[in-house]
Amino acid sequence: MRLVLPLPPSVNHAYRTYVHPKTGQRMRVLNAEAQKFRRDAAYLALRWRQETGWKMPQPGVKVVIRLWYFWPSRRRMDTHNREKVLLDALEGILYPEDRWVLVQEMDFVVDRTNPRVEIEILLHRDLRAV
C-alpha cells in the first residue's frame, strides 16, 4: 500500500531568511507552507505506519523510497527539488535518518484534480532482482 501525501514544496519555495534580532545572524528556516507540509506529512505517515505495520529500521539500514509525482498542471516542475523537504518530513517516522534513504523517482504525470506524491517504502534487503 502506497503512502499518499500532498506535493511537498520545492526547496526554492520552502525556506525564508531569518535574521536573529540580537546577533544579526542570518539563517534559512522553513516558511509556513513548508512547516504545514511537514506537520501534515508526519501525521499521514504515522497513520500509514499504523495501518501497514511498517517498523522503523535500525540506524544504518538502508531504505528505498520510490516516488510517483502527480502534478497539478503541465507547468515545468522538478522532482529532485522536492526531495529534501519530503525526506526531512518523514525522518524519525519511517526511518531514523534520511542519510540512509535511497530515492527512486519512478514517474510523473499530470492529475489536475488530485496533485500528490505517492510513495512506496521498503528495506534495501527486500529488493529483488528484476
Side-chain angles (χ1 to χ4, degrees):
M1 181 168 97
R2 289 183 183 171
L3 168 60
V4 179
L5 298 177
L7 286 172
S10 71
V11 170
N12 299 340
H13 295 98
Y15 293 92
R16 65 179 177 82
T17 301
Y18 171 77
V19 179
H20 191 279
K22 291 185 180 179
T23 65
Q25 181 181 6
R26 298 169 61 87
M27 297 175 268
R28 287 180 40 102
V29 297
L30 288 176
N31 64 23
E33 176 191 4
Q35 288 177 19
K36 180 181 183 328
F37 172 80
R38 284 185 69 160
R39 280 191 308 272
D40 294 349
Y43 170 78
L44 293 168
L46 279 169
R47 214 170 81 195
W48 177 89
R49 190 175 79 183
Q50 290 171 340
E51 291 171 2
T52 62
W54 172 260
K55 303 284 188 238
M56 189 180 328
Q58 294 296 314
V61 174
K62 292 178 186 172
V63 172
V64 174
I65 289 188
R66 295 178 176 158
L67 303 173
W68 286 262
Y69 288 94
F70 297 82
W71 302 127
S73 70
R74 293 200 179 278
R75 186 173 161 248
R76 184 176 173 185
M77 293 184 215
D78 185 0
T79 58
H80 301 9
N81 204 3
R82 296 173 186 262
E83 288 177 10
K84 170 122 181 80
V85 177
L86 175 64
L87 296 180
D88 286 350
L90 302 177
E91 190 174 82
I93 298 167
L94 301 182
Y95 40 81
E97 290 182 77
D98 63 2
R99 70 180 282 222
W100 297 102
V101 174
L102 303 169
V103 177
Q104 295 179 344
E105 293 177 341
M106 306 306 288
D107 201 2
F108 59 90
V109 296
V110 173
D111 184 343
R112 295 181 201 291
T113 60
N114 186 20
R116 65 197 180 279
V117 61
E118 294 186 6
I119 302 167
E120 286 180 1
I121 182 167
L122 31 92
L123 297 177
H124 188 260
R125 70 172 184 263
D126 291 342
L127 289 176
R128 304 287 183 248
V130 178

